[in-house]
Amino acid sequence: ARDRLSEASFIVGRFYYRIKNYLGAMDRFREILDDDPGYTRRDVVYYYLADSLNINGFDNEALPMFERLISEFPESEYVSEATQQITSLKTELELEDRYIDEPNFAYWNRDSRTDFGAKRVATDFDYQSNTNTEWLDANTIVQLIREKSADI
């Protein structure tokens, strides 16, 4: 019975999604995840919720939702699309000796760093400042900027 109620909420949420009322859709999808953790089509809910979040600029919330879809439902029909979304949302670039976390703004030219040999990190890359073991002091940062500016 609970699954039927959740399915009805999903249908309403997907209707909101289709008419581009993403905030209404997000409310319905979150309600399903909160009220019915055993809903049989959670992968679809994760996808539509994450996509709605992404469309509305809530990338920091969308990214873990796409990742959750993949980790909990590796056989889902939405894995391929979620993987593509993760790739576009990940803003970290890898250089020989460091990583760059670029802003995730629509107008930001993310290709600018590839001219210097930067590569996109793998989709499973995870960096948290609280786990970093290497720190640069102000003088080292200034020196790096001077060195890289001289290369340009």
Side-chain angles (χ1 to χ4, degrees):
R2 181 71 223 162
D3 214 55
R4 282 190 196 166
L5 290 172
S6 294
E7 183 63 21
S9 288
F10 174 74
I11 290 168
V12 172
R14 192 176 58 197
F15 171 75
Y16 286 150
Y17 177 90
R18 286 183 177 162
I19 64 169
K20 300 182 183 199
N21 178 355
Y22 299 112
L23 297 177
M26 288 186 295
D27 286 342
R28 289 296 179 143
F29 299 142
R30 282 185 173 131
E31 177 184 296
I32 295 167
L33 295 176
D34 291 343
D35 294 348
D36 189 6
Y39 179 54
T40 55
R41 298 184 63 210
R42 265 188 358 265
D43 62 325
V44 182
V45 175
Y46 286 153
Y47 175 79
Y48 280 105
L49 176 56
D51 199 43
S52 297
L53 289 163
N54 186 26
I55 288 167
N56 279 281
F58 300 111
D59 299 344
N60 290 340
E61 294 177 63
L63 181 61
M65 193 64 58
F66 283 125
E67 292 172 332
R68 190 171 178 186
L69 185 161
I70 292 170
S71 69
E72 289 184 25
F73 299 96
E75 302 300 318
S76 171
E77 65 183 283
Y78 294 93
V79 166
S80 176
E81 180 62 29
T83 302
Q84 290 175 5
Q85 293 284 3
I86 288 169
T87 301
S88 72
L89 288 169
K90 289 259 184 183
T91 58
E92 294 87 3
L93 296 171
E94 180 180 0
L95 288 166
E96 245 180 64
D97 59 345
R98 65 187 169 280
Y99 295 98
I100 301 171
D101 190 9
E102 294 191 314
N104 196 8
F105 302 129
Y107 63 82
W108 191 265
N109 179 4
R110 293 187 195 160
D111 297 327
S112 63
R113 303 287 184 237
T114 56
D115 295 340
F116 298 104
K119 301 178 291 192
R120 293 242 170 259
V121 297
T123 56
D124 62 349
F125 176 82
D126 185 36
Y127 172 80
Q128 304 293 325
S129 61
N130 63 340
T131 61
N132 185 23
T133 58
E134 296 182 33
W135 293 94
L136 302 177
D137 61 29
N139 291 332
T140 305
I141 292 171
V142 168
Q143 182 62 33
L144 283 171
I145 292 170
R146 286 186 181 137
E147 289 173 9
K148 293 303 173 186
S149 295
D151 293 342
I152 297 177

